[in-house]
Amino acid sequence: SGTLSASTVAAALTELDAEKASVVTLNAPTGSTLIGTIISATGSVTRTVAAKLNDTVSVKDFGAVGDGVTDDTAAIQAAINYCSTVFNKIVSSTSRSQYRITSSLVINASSIVLDLSLSELLLDDPSGLLSHITIGDGLVQKNGIRIRNISFTRAQVATSGWAINANLTGALEITNCRIYGNNEIYSGIKLYRSIICTIEHVYIDNCINVGIHLEGSSSVLKTIDTSIRECRVEGGTTALKTWDFVEGLFCRDNIFFNTSGICAVISASTNTNGLVSFKFQDTDFDSCGISGIYIDNVNNIQITGCWFSALPTGIEIKENVDGIVISANQIYPTANGIITYGRNVNISG
């Protein structure tokens, strides 16, 4: 009821324009930088939504589709490369997607977590030679890498390669992964010249060759202190194999099942290259084609509380082995329980 002055109208229009501009800005790609957020906890601080979202990086932020048809190699690699510089986590934004890749994904930086939320990583490689993921460049040790919640599959039968191939890593963790070999993936996991690594809650099914392989290159560049816990490896030729310059294997609460050859080969090319300290505890060696554990050219082995069944030989120990403790096991072979030519072998219970 009254007449507005020109200045009042102008001020109102200016305010309206400002509000309109604000709305446009919020709808822009940078709009999340204008919104604050805070968690309900003592000591929490206000952050922008943009900062909160950037705590993690999704492969879909870089264009991965996850439909099993689109080639997502470049998108996932771009996410890895970005996190190599900012030390963020990589996650899939949608659980149980299928990401098709046509070349190996390369992780060549420390402190990266690749977690695909139980999604499938399908390697489409007609050459049959590639690995799904390669870790490290073999020149400078990369530390603190974590591979989690990934299902590995392959589109063609491989003649070499691994689901995960790690070279010169420290404190690497591979957890809660599924390697569905389907007699197409050649081998599961390789740790080469890697220290203090953990493989836990991993299921490896029907790879053509070896489930888990450990190896070093010298007395300096060893694979040392590897923990394998609560895994199941079935099918293929060998569930677990160690070769030269491996020391400190702790294998506990695993199931090695239905291999065509030996379940676990603990060996080296020579006694000089074979090192010490291998411990098997509460592990099931079941339905192997040759034997449960074969030991040669290494020393100081403990086998305790394990179960051996439906296999020709439970445990076979060769001449160049010294210092074995075998206790409280149950062995149900079709031919031989324990064959030993080793020195200082103590069998009890």
Side-chain angles (χ1 to χ4, degrees):
S1 62
T3 304
L4 294 175
S5 66
S7 60
T8 302
V9 173
L13 291 174
T14 300
E15 183 177 349
L16 181 63
D17 288 340
E19 290 179 359
K20 181 179 178 182
S22 175
V23 171
V24 172
T25 302
L26 288 175
N27 289 335
T30 58
S32 59
T33 62
L34 303 176
I35 305 172
T37 182
I38 187 170
I39 65 171
S40 300
T42 302
S44 62
V45 297
T46 302
R47 306 169 67 198
T48 67
V49 169
K52 184 75 172 177
L53 293 174
N54 283 328
D55 285 346
T56 61
V57 175
S58 171
V59 295
K60 294 194 173 184
D61 293 334
F62 291 82
V65 178
D67 61 0
V69 178
T70 304
D71 186 352
D72 288 324
T73 312
I76 299 174
Q77 188 63 58
I80 292 171
N81 293 345
Y82 172 74
C83 292
S84 298
T85 59
V86 298
F87 301 107
N88 275 326
K89 180 180 180 180
I90 303 170
V91 295
S92 166
S93 60
T94 304
S95 182
R96 298 188 185 278
S97 298
Q98 185 185 59
Y99 295 103
R100 174 176 166 264
I101 59 173
T102 55
S103 60
S104 299
L105 300 176
V106 179
I107 299 176
N108 193 24
S110 297
S111 304
I112 285 183
V113 179
L114 178 58
D115 185 334
L116 291 185
S117 305
L118 299 178
S119 291
E120 180 180 339
L121 195 61
L122 170 66
L123 177 57
D124 187 353
D125 163 39
S127 76
L129 304 175
L130 299 178
S131 298
H132 290 68
I133 299 174
T134 64
I135 302 173
D137 58 7
L139 300 175
V140 177
Q141 183 173 299
K142 304 301 185 299
N143 301 310
I145 296 167
R146 294 168 175 82
I147 307 297
R148 298 174 178 169
N149 302 314
I150 302 175
S151 293
F152 296 83
T153 60
R154 217 179 191 289
Q156 302 89 5
V157 175
T159 55
S160 68
W162 306 81
I164 302 172
N165 187 0
N167 184 358
L168 201 59
T169 63
L172 168 67
E173 294 180 7
I174 301 170
T175 56
N176 200 34
C177 290
R178 306 291 181 264
I179 301 174
Y180 293 110
N182 197 30
N183 294 312
E184 293 173 336
I185 296 176
Y186 191 69
S187 293
I189 299 171
K190 182 178 181 180
L191 302 183
Y192 182 58
R193 306 189 299 172
S194 297
I195 65 171
I196 322 175
C197 298
T198 299
I199 302 172
E200 187 173 17
H201 299 143
V202 172
Y203 175 40
I204 302 175
D205 173 47
N206 286 313
C207 288
I208 296 169
N209 189 30
V210 178
I212 301 171
H213 179 97
L214 312 178
E215 185 177 349
S217 61
S218 69
S219 58
V220 176
L221 293 172
K222 298 180 285 188
T223 288
I224 184 170
D225 292 346
T226 303
S227 177
I228 302 173
R229 300 194 303 262
E230 298 181 14
C231 297
R232 180 183 177 98
V233 184
E234 66 176 272
T237 302
T238 303
L240 169 65
K241 181 178 181 180
T242 71
W243 197 231
D244 291 349
F245 302 107
V246 173
E247 179 178 331
L249 167 64
F250 305 95
C251 186
R252 180 177 296 172
D253 297 320
N254 301 288
I255 297 174
F256 298 146
F257 175 70
N258 197 32
T259 61
S260 61
I262 302 167
C263 271
V265 177
I266 309 302
S267 186
S269 59
T270 66
N271 195 248
T272 301
N273 292 350
L275 303 180
V276 300
S277 187
F278 301 85
K279 184 174 184 178
F280 292 86
Q281 184 175 358
D282 300 330
T283 291
D284 183 6
F285 302 85
D286 194 346
S287 303
C288 306
I290 299 176
S291 60
I293 302 178
Y294 174 92
I295 304 169
D296 191 17
N297 284 323
V298 296
N299 300 314
N300 304 117
I301 298 99
Q302 183 181 108
I303 304 168
T304 306
C306 295
W307 178 281
F308 300 82
S309 64
L311 69 184
T313 300
I315 302 169
E316 184 173 358
I317 303 167
K318 305 305 289 184
E319 294 90 344
N320 294 320
V321 177
D322 192 350
I324 313 293
V325 175
I326 301 172
S327 64
N329 300 284
Q330 291 181 267
I331 305 177
Y332 301 93
T334 58
N336 308 291
I338 301 171
I339 301 174
T340 177
Y341 301 94
R343 299 178 299 279
N344 299 311
V345 179
N346 185 315
I347 302 172
S348 64

